[in-house]
Coordinates of all heavy atoms in Angstrom, one line a residue:
Y44 N 2.0 0.3 -2.7 CA 0.6 0.5 -2.7 C -0.1 0.4 -4.1 O -1.1 -0.2 -4.4 CB 0.3 1.9 -2.1 CG -1.2 2.1 -2.1 CD1 -2.1 1.6 -1.1 CD2 -1.9 3.0 -3.0 CE1 -3.4 1.9 -0.9 CE2 -3.2 3.3 -2.9 CZ -4.0 2.7 -2.0 OH -5.3 2.9 -1.8
V45 N 0.6 1.1 -5.1 CA 0.1 1.1 -6.5 C 0.3 -0.4 -7.1 O -0.4 -0.8 -7.8 CB 0.8 2.2 -7.4 CG1 0.4 2.1 -8.8 CG2 0.5 3.6 -6.7
Y46 N 1.5 -0.9 -6.9 CA 1.8 -2.2 -7.4 C 0.8 -3.3 -7.2 O 0.5 -4.0 -8.1 CB 3.1 -2.7 -6.9 CG 3.7 -3.9 -7.5 CD1 4.4 -3.9 -8.7 CD2 3.4 -5.2 -7.0 CE1 5.0 -5.1 -9.2 CE2 3.9 -6.3 -7.5 CZ 4.6 -6.3 -8.7 OH 5.0 -7.4 -9.3
Y47 N 0.2 -3.2 -6.0 CA -0.8 -4.3 -5.7 C -2.2 -4.1 -6.4 O -3.1 -4.9 -6.3 CB -1.1 -4.4 -4.2 CG 0.2 -5.1 -3.5 CD1 1.1 -4.5 -2.8 CD2 0.3 -6.5 -3.7 CE1 2.2 -5.1 -2.3 CE2 1.4 -7.1 -3.1 CZ 2.4 -6.5 -2.4 OH 3.4 -7.1 -1.8
R48 N -2.3 -3.0 -7.1 CA -3.6 -2.6 -7.6 C -3.8 -2.4 -9.1 O -4.8 -2.4 -9.7 CB -4.1 -1.2 -7.0 CG -4.4 -1.5 -5.6 CD -4.5 -0.1 -4.8 NE -5.1 -0.4 -3.4 CZ -4.3 -1.0 -2.5 NH1 -3.2 -1.4 -2.7 NH2 -4.9 -1.2 -1.3
V49 N -2.7 -2.3 -9.8 CA -2.6 -2.0 -11.2 C -1.7 -3.0 -12.1 O -0.9 -3.7 -11.4 CB -2.3 -0.6 -11.6 CG1 -3.3 0.4 -10.9 CG2 -0.9 -0.2 -11.4
K50 N -1.9 -3.0 -13.3 CA -1.0 -3.8 -14.2 C 0.5 -3.4 -14.0 O 0.7 -2.2 -13.9 CB -1.4 -3.7 -15.6 CG -2.7 -4.4 -15.9 CD -3.1 -4.3 -17.4 CE -4.5 -5.0 -17.6 NZ -4.9 -5.0 -18.9
N51 N 1.3 -4.3 -14.1 CA 2.7 -4.1 -13.7 C 3.3 -3.0 -14.6 O 4.1 -2.2 -14.1 CB 3.5 -5.4 -13.9 CG 4.8 -5.4 -13.2 OD1 5.1 -4.5 -12.4 ND2 5.8 -6.3 -13.6
E53 N 2.0 -0.4 -15.7 CA 1.5 0.9 -15.4 C 2.0 1.5 -14.1 O 1.8 2.6 -13.8 CB -0.1 0.8 -15.3 CG -0.7 0.2 -16.6 CD -0.8 1.2 -17.7 OE1 -0.7 2.4 -17.5 OE2 -1.0 0.8 -18.8
V54 N 2.6 0.6 -13.3 CA 2.9 1.1 -11.9 C 3.8 2.3 -12.0 O 3.5 3.2 -11.2 CB 3.5 -0.1 -11.2 CG1 4.1 0.4 -9.8 CG2 2.6 -1.2 -11.0
L57 N 2.1 5.5 -12.8 CA 1.2 6.1 -11.8 C 1.9 6.6 -10.6 O 1.5 7.6 -10.0 CB 0.2 4.9 -11.4 CG -0.9 4.7 -12.4 CD1 -1.8 3.5 -12.0 CD2 -1.7 5.8 -12.7
A87 N -2.6 8.8 -4.1 CA -2.4 7.5 -4.8 C -3.5 6.7 -4.9 O -3.9 6.1 -6.0 CB -1.3 6.7 -4.0
H88 N -4.4 6.7 -3.8 CA -5.7 5.9 -3.8 C -6.6 6.6 -4.9 O -7.2 5.7 -5.6 CB -6.3 6.1 -2.5 CG -7.5 5.4 -2.2 ND1 -7.7 4.1 -2.1 CD2 -8.8 6.0 -2.2 CE1 -9.0 3.8 -2.0 NE2 -9.7 4.9 -2.0
N89 N -6.7 7.9 -5.0 CA -7.6 8.5 -6.0 C -7.1 8.1 -7.4 O -7.9 8.0 -8.3 CB -7.7 9.9 -5.7 CG -8.5 10.3 -4.5 OD1 -9.2 9.4 -4.0 ND2 -8.3 11.5 -3.9
L90 N -5.7 8.2 -7.7 CA -5.2 7.8 -9.0 C -5.6 6.5 -9.4 O -5.9 6.2 -10.5 CB -3.7 8.1 -9.0 CG -3.3 9.5 -9.3 CD1 -1.8 9.7 -9.1 CD2 -3.7 9.9 -10.7
V91 N -5.4 5.6 -8.4 CA -5.8 4.1 -8.7 C -7.3 4.0 -9.1 O -7.7 3.3 -10.1 CB -5.4 3.1 -7.6 CG1 -6.0 1.8 -7.8 CG2 -3.9 3.2 -7.4
I92 N -8.2 4.7 -8.3 CA -9.6 4.6 -8.7 C -9.8 5.3 -10.0 O -10.5 4.7 -10.8 CB -10.3 5.5 -7.6 CG1 -10.4 4.7 -6.2 CG2 -11.8 5.8 -8.0 CD1 -10.9 5.4 -5.1
D93 N -9.1 6.4 -10.3 CA -9.3 7.0 -11.6 C -8.9 6.1 -12.8 O -9.4 6.0 -13.8 CB -8.6 8.3 -11.7 CG -9.2 9.5 -10.9 OD1 -10.4 9.2 -10.5 OD2 -8.6 10.5 -10.6
Y94 N -7.7 5.5 -12.5 CA -7.2 4.5 -13.4 C -8.2 3.4 -13.8 O -8.4 3.1 -15.0 CB -5.9 3.8 -12.8 CG -5.3 2.6 -13.6 CD1 -4.6 2.9 -14.8 CD2 -5.7 1.3 -13.3 CE1 -4.1 1.8 -15.4 CE2 -5.2 0.2 -14.0 CZ -4.4 0.5 -15.2 OH -3.9 -0.6 -15.8
Y95 N -8.9 2.8 -12.8 CA -9.8 1.8 -13.1 C -11.1 2.3 -13.6 O -11.8 1.6 -14.4 CB -10.2 0.9 -11.8 CG -9.0 0.0 -11.7 CD1 -8.1 0.1 -10.8 CD2 -8.9 -1.2 -12.6 CE1 -6.9 -0.8 -10.7 CE2 -7.9 -2.1 -12.5 CZ -7.0 -1.9 -11.6 OH -5.8 -2.7 -11.5
R96 N -11.5 3.6 -13.3 CA -12.7 4.2 -13.9 C -12.5 4.2 -15.4 O -13.3 4.2 -16.2 CB -13.0 5.5 -13.3 CG -13.6 5.4 -12.0 CD -14.0 6.8 -11.5 NE -14.6 6.7 -10.1 CZ -14.4 7.6 -9.2 NH1 -13.8 8.7 -9.5 NH2 -15.0 7.4 -8.0
G97 N -11.2 4.7 -15.7 CA -10.8 4.8 -17.1 C -10.8 3.5 -17.9 O -11.1 3.4 -19.0
K98 N -10.3 2.5 -17.2 CA -10.1 1.2 -17.8 C -11.3 0.3 -17.6 O -11.5 -0.6 -18.3 CB -8.9 0.5 -17.2 CG -7.6 1.2 -17.4 CD -7.0 0.9 -18.7 CE -5.6 1.5 -18.7 NZ -5.0 1.3 -20.0
E99 N -12.2 0.7 -16.7 CA -13.4 -0.1 -16.4 C -12.9 -1.6 -16.2 O -13.4 -2.5 -16.8 CB -14.4 0.0 -17.5 CG -15.0 1.3 -17.6 CD -16.2 1.3 -18.6 OE1 -16.6 0.3 -19.2 OE2 -16.7 2.5 -18.9
A100 N -11.9 -1.7 -15.4 CA -11.3 -3.0 -15.1 C -11.3 -3.3 -13.6 O -11.8 -2.4 -12.8 CB -9.8 -3.1 -15.6
R101 N -11.0 -4.5 -13.2 CA -10.9 -4.9 -11.9 C -9.6 -5.0 -11.4 O -8.6 -5.3 -12.2 CB -11.6 -6.3 -11.8 CG -12.0 -6.7 -10.5 CD -12.9 -8.1 -10.5 NE -12.8 -8.6 -9.2 CZ -12.0 -9.5 -8.9 NH1 -11.2 -10.1 -9.7 NH2 -12.0 -10.1 -7.6
V102 N -9.3 -4.9 -10.1 CA -8.0 -5.0 -9.6 C -7.3 -6.4 -9.9 O -8.0 -7.4 -9.7 CB -7.9 -4.9 -8.0 CG1 -6.6 -5.0 -7.4 CG2 -8.4 -3.3 -7.7
D103 N -6.1 -6.4 -10.4 CA -5.5 -7.7 -10.7 C -4.6 -8.2 -9.6 O -3.6 -7.7 -9.4 CB -4.6 -7.5 -12.0 CG -3.9 -8.8 -12.4 OD1 -4.2 -9.8 -11.9 OD2 -3.0 -8.7 -13.3
T104 N -5.2 -9.0 -8.7 CA -4.5 -9.4 -7.6 C -3.4 -10.4 -7.8 O -2.6 -10.7 -7.0 CB -5.5 -10.1 -6.6 OG1 -6.2 -11.2 -7.2 CG2 -6.6 -9.1 -6.0
L105 N -3.4 -10.9 -9.0 CA -2.3 -11.8 -9.3 C -0.9 -11.2 -9.3 O 0.1 -11.8 -9.3 CB -2.5 -12.5 -10.7 CG -3.7 -13.4 -10.7 CD1 -3.8 -14.0 -12.2 CD2 -3.6 -14.6 -9.8
Q106 N -0.8 -9.9 -9.3 CA 0.4 -9.2 -9.2 C 1.1 -9.5 -7.8 O 2.3 -9.4 -7.7 CB 0.3 -7.8 -9.4 CG -0.1 -7.3 -10.8 CD -0.4 -5.8 -10.9 OE1 0.2 -5.0 -10.1 NE2 -1.4 -5.5 -11.6
K146 N -13.3 -5.8 -2.1 CA -12.3 -4.8 -2.3 C -11.8 -4.0 -1.1 O -10.7 -3.8 -0.8 CB -12.7 -3.8 -3.5 CG -11.7 -2.8 -3.8 CD -12.2 -1.8 -4.8 CE -11.2 -0.7 -5.1 NZ -10.3 -0.3 -4.1
Y149 N -9.7 -6.2 1.0 CA -8.4 -6.3 0.3 C -7.5 -5.1 0.4 O -6.3 -5.1 0.8 CB -8.6 -6.6 -1.2 CG -7.4 -6.7 -2.0 CD1 -6.7 -7.9 -2.2 CD2 -6.8 -5.5 -2.7 CE1 -5.5 -8.0 -2.9 CE2 -5.7 -5.7 -3.5 CZ -5.1 -6.9 -3.6 OH -3.9 -7.0 -4.4
D150 N -8.1 -3.9 0.2 CA -7.4 -2.7 0.5 C -6.8 -2.6 1.9 O -5.7 -2.1 2.1 CB -8.3 -1.4 0.1 CG -8.6 -1.3 -1.4 OD1 -7.8 -1.8 -2.3 OD2 -9.6 -0.5 -1.7

Side-chain angles (χ1 to χ4, degrees):
Y44 182 79
V45 173
Y46 184 87
Y47 285 105
R48 288 166 174 72
V49 301
K50 292 182 180 180
N51 199 17
E53 304 284 341
V54 174
L57 286 175
H88 179 77
N89 290 340
L90 274 173
V91 169
I92 289 171
D93 291 345
Y94 170 83
Y95 280 104
R96 281 184 185 147
K98 298 280 185 181
E99 297 181 5
R101 199 172 157 260
V102 175
D103 183 9
T104 57
L105 295 179
Q106 292 176 34
K146 184 186 179 322
Y149 177 85
D150 286 345

